[in-house]
Amino acid sequence: MSKLDKLYSSIVISPLHWGRKYITIKDIEYTFKTFWKHFTVYIKKGFEFDGASIPRLFHIIGTPMWTDTLPWALFHDYLYRKQYVTREQADQCFNELMIETKVRFIKRNLFYLWVRIWGWVAWKKNKKTLQKNKKH
């Protein structure tokens, strides 16, 4: 079984809120081999994420509900929420997964550009949430 087949077979999710969010049904593991380090991400069963946050204007190249966007959106959302790595590193992992899942060059670069330009909004929001939860 190829790495890609293992990735797709390990991701078991269910839609929530009429498909606007998803939840993992079982634990998921993936090892990233980026140029800066190798590390494994473990996503526990029950993690909720919103898929690819794509403005309606760009739904021609992909929507949050397309199954091909879900693997990389899942890991990107997880890395943004937990912030175990820097934002730039999370975005690089996002790009790596798009390459692994054979996303076409133009589509991949548009998505990557989108997270590099606008990802700071979600990153900042998640950082505040993490800091708030540490205080409690």
Side-chain angles (χ1 to χ4, degrees), residues 101-117:
T101 55
K102 300 181 180 8
V103 175
R104 289 184 318 253
F105 179 82
I106 292 173
K107 182 177 180 178
R108 181 179 77 236
N109 283 294
L110 284 172
F111 281 131
Y112 183 71
L113 182 62
W114 183 259
V115 298
R116 290 306 303 149
I117 292 171

Side-chain angles (χ1 to χ4, degrees), residues 65-83:
M65 285 66 83
W66 282 6
T67 55
D68 72 332
T69 65
L70 292 177
W72 27 277
L74 165 63
F75 283 94
H76 192 252
D77 284 3
Y78 184 81
L79 292 172
Y80 262 53
R81 189 105 34 91
K82 299 300 181 181
Q83 298 191 0

Side-chain angles (χ1 to χ4, degrees), residues 24-129:
T24 56
I25 302 302
K26 67 178 198 172
D27 295 348
I28 301 166
E29 173 184 331
Y30 184 79
T31 301
F32 287 94
K33 295 179 179 147
T34 63
F35 69 88
W36 43 274
K37 76 177 190 178
H38 293 194
F39 68 99
T40 302
V41 174
Y42 301 95
I43 301 175
K44 294 284 186 193
K45 171 184 169 182
F47 177 73
E48 292 184 23
F49 67 108
D50 65 358
S53 303
I54 305 166
R56 289 196 186 278
L57 174 66
F58 297 108
H59 280 198
I60 193 164
I61 61 166
T63 69
M65 285 66 83
W66 282 6
T67 55
D68 72 332
T69 65
L70 292 177
W72 27 277
L74 165 63
F75 283 94
H76 192 252
D77 284 3
Y78 184 81
L79 292 172
Y80 262 53
R81 189 105 34 91
K82 299 300 181 181
Q83 298 191 0
Y84 297 130
V85 295
T86 67
R87 183 177 153 241
E88 182 180 5
Q89 291 168 333
D91 293 348
Q92 289 168 350
C93 291
F94 175 71
N95 195 46
E96 176 190 319
L97 265 176
M98 287 191 290
I99 291 168
E100 286 275 333
T101 55
K102 300 181 180 8
V103 175
R104 289 184 318 253
F105 179 82
I106 292 173
K107 182 177 180 178
R108 181 179 77 236
N109 283 294
L110 284 172
F111 281 131
Y112 183 71
L113 182 62
W114 183 259
V115 298
R116 290 306 303 149
I117 292 171
W118 294 106
W120 66 271
V121 175
W123 186 267
K124 188 175 178 180
K125 178 183 170 193
N126 290 327
K127 188 172 193 157
K128 283 182 181 178
T129 302

Side-chain angles (χ1 to χ4, degrees), residues 2-15:
S2 74
K3 184 178 178 183
L4 186 57
D5 291 335
K6 286 180 186 176
L7 172 64
Y8 278 116
S9 66
S10 72
I11 297 175
V12 180
I13 59 173
S14 178

